[in-house]
Amino acid sequence: MFAFLLVIHALIAATLVTVILMQKSEGGGLGMGGSPSGLMSARGAADFLSRATAVLATAFVGFSILLAVLAATRGAPAIDTSLARTPATQAPITAPAPAPVPSDNAAAPAPAQPVDNSAVPLAR
């Protein structure tokens, strides 16, 4: 039922867009341009398109409200946890041990050795 109403809603939306684009705007519009002769007069086409726009807009808003109510009362009260991830267990984070304070009698610490970056390719 919900899927059927959703398809009807999409068809109403597409028809509403088409009817709006067919209306003649001040700049000429995308449709109904050219000669006023034809099946309907220009005035009759404008009246029909205006009424069709009003009817389709009302139907669109009505279906939107109906679908929102149906979606809210669909019957899924619990949250679906079938795709939920379990948190990874981590070791507790501890602060690093403080560096020993050199005394006046101790020898100066050796300079740090450069890191071997041979696995990283260099840009050329």
Side-chain angles (χ1 to χ4, degrees), residues 65-79:
I65 292 170
L66 177 67
L67 287 171
V69 168
L70 288 176
T73 61
R74 202 147 181 208
I79 296 175

Side-chain angles (χ1 to χ4, degrees), residues 32-115:
M32 298 300 168
S35 69
S37 64
L39 194 56
M40 296 191 298
S41 67
R43 179 78 178 156
D47 287 343
F48 171 74
L49 290 176
S50 297
R51 288 184 182 153
T53 302
V55 168
L56 287 171
T58 304
F60 180 82
V61 170
F63 265 88
S64 296
I65 292 170
L66 177 67
L67 287 171
V69 168
L70 288 176
T73 61
R74 202 147 181 208
I79 296 175
D80 182 18
T81 59
S82 62
L83 297 176
R85 297 182 189 171
T86 56
T89 57
Q90 294 180 350
I93 299 174
T94 58
V101 178
S103 64
D104 292 337
N105 296 341
Q113 297 296 324
V115 178

